[in-house]
Amino acid sequence: MNNKSWRHHYLPESYIKGFTKESGKIKIYNVLTETFIKNGNEFSPKSYFFEKNANTFKNNNIEDDFIEGWYAKFDSEISKIISKINNSDSSKKFEVNEDDMPIINQFVSLMYWRLPHNKDRLNKLITENDLNQLGLAVKNNDGIKNFESEEKIRLHPEFFKIYRLCNSLIDSLRGSLCRTPYTIFPKIEQFPYICSDNPIIFKDESPLVYSDDFIFPLSGKRLFIKSHIKKDLPNSIWLFTDSIILKQAVKYVAVTDEKYIHVLENWMTSRNFELDSLKSELFEILNKAGL
């Protein structure tokens, strides 16, 4: 009996569940065809936002899903923190402590590099750098670097899958000296929930994940903001965030209310907003809140 997993989510199931409401399900909007899948039928969180065998390691005709096991471990840890945040409020500081915030930041990196559309960026890093520049090294028993083994590992056809995970963990070390504070911002409960296959908002297309400011929806009702925030944020930040989540989607958007797609589209059209201008406005709001 083969119990090896194959449905490898780049948006973890536990994360997607945070964008469901009473039914525990989501509607899927295809931004390429501008239509809802199966005329707006609802789907379980496990049905979308995954790639088949994305983290299956193949070597000498042997397949192993240990990489997926590592992701599952991190996803389980973060799901507990997100659940705690969702079930608390700002008066109790969402029940998070100084140890929780870096874990959320690490989760953002783990998710960012798992997103299918970031494969090209990661492949370019691997192609243009040796193992040492990638933050790794292979040494003999005498402590001397083994360049031949390093190159053999880097050129292994499955190295990409290993490094995708390692790079996210190294991001935590790269950002260890970053002192940018984190903020959690609540959403008005009556708003529909929306998520996409590109849910992390950076100002630039090729960000330094470990140090750049970003906005990341932890769920349909909580935003995780990495930026210096000293003043109260306006509720309009959710319209900007949700619009960008929709606008920067590569293929799929999950939403709890079909009409919300049209509400966001009409709001953007009425203000002549495109993706770049939306991001500029959003980060300007953050900048003013940090003054």
Side-chain angles (χ1 to χ4, degrees), residues 4 6 9 25 29 42 73 75 128 130 142 161 163 187 189 192 226 242 249 263 272 283:
K4 181 176 65 66
W6 62 270
H9 283 81
K25 295 184 177 182
Y29 181 72
E42 292 188 323
K73 178 182 178 182
D75 294 344
E128 295 180 352
D130 59 31
D142 56 8
K161 296 176 181 179
Y163 187 67
K187 186 177 191 177
E189 293 283 342
K226 184 178 180 181
D242 288 353
V263 169
N272 295 316
F283 281 93

Side-chain angles (χ1 to χ4, degrees), residues 3-216:
N3 293 320
K4 181 176 65 66
S5 64
W6 62 270
R7 195 192 300 256
H8 297 163
H9 283 81
Y10 48 89
L11 301 189
E13 278 187 69
S14 58
Y15 176 75
I16 303 170
K17 286 178 182 178
F19 295 88
T20 66
K21 286 200 171 182
E22 291 80 8
S23 69
K25 295 184 177 182
I26 48 178
K27 295 176 183 287
I28 300 295
Y29 181 72
N30 187 322
V31 298
L32 302 179
T33 62
E34 298 183 343
T35 58
F36 279 89
I37 304 298
K38 292 190 176 180
N39 297 315
N41 281 3
E42 292 188 323
F43 300 88
S44 66
K46 76 174 184 178
S47 302
Y48 280 85
F49 305 112
F50 72 87
E51 287 189 301
K52 188 175 181 180
N53 290 317
N55 299 312
T56 299
F57 187 83
K58 303 175 183 178
N59 190 40
N60 296 327
N61 297 319
I62 297 175
E63 295 185 353
D64 196 310
D65 64 350
F66 71 91
I67 301 174
E68 178 64 14
W70 276 100
Y71 281 121
K73 178 182 178 182
F74 290 119
D75 294 344
S76 176
E77 184 177 9
I78 192 65
S79 69
K80 295 173 184 176
I81 296 175
I82 293 178
S83 177
K84 182 170 59 175
I85 293 170
N86 284 337
N87 294 315
S88 184
D89 57 48
S90 58
S91 66
K92 298 179 181 179
K93 297 184 178 180
F94 300 100
E95 301 289 354
V96 294
N97 56 49
E98 60 183 16
D99 294 324
D100 293 330
M101 294 302 217
I103 294 174
I104 299 174
N105 194 48
Q106 182 184 62
F107 177 63
V108 171
S109 178
L110 284 164
M111 185 181 288
Y112 177 85
W113 292 112
R114 262 191 288 184
L115 298 176
H117 68 274
N118 286 328
K119 284 182 180 178
D120 288 344
R121 186 182 179 200
L122 195 58
N123 270 321
K124 185 177 180 181
L125 282 174
I126 293 172
T127 301
E128 295 180 352
N129 296 280
D130 59 31
L131 216 60
N132 186 57
Q133 291 170 311
L134 295 174
L136 303 173
V138 177
K139 295 183 179 181
N140 298 322
N141 292 332
D142 56 8
I144 298 176
K145 288 185 65 174
N146 189 322
F147 293 99
E148 183 177 347
S149 294
E150 283 189 354
E151 191 64 3
K152 184 177 180 180
I153 290 172
R154 190 179 68 85
L155 295 177
H156 192 287
E158 295 289 85
F159 176 69
F160 171 87
K161 296 176 181 179
I162 293 286
Y163 187 67
R164 179 164 52 188
L165 173 60
C166 290
N167 187 52
S168 297
L169 301 180
I170 294 172
D171 265 353
S172 298
L173 299 176
R174 294 171 179 142
S176 61
L177 297 179
C178 178
R179 292 292 178 262
T180 303
Y182 311 114
T183 300
I184 295 174
F185 187 71
K187 186 177 191 177
I188 299 172
E189 293 283 342
Q190 290 76 13
F191 267 57
Y193 297 168
I194 188 170
C195 183
S196 79
D197 54 13
N198 191 13
I200 310 167
I201 300 175
F202 288 99
K203 189 172 184 179
D204 299 321
E205 289 187 9
S206 298
L208 293 176
V209 183
Y210 53 89
S211 61
D212 286 358
D213 287 0
F214 63 78
I215 295 180
F216 175 60

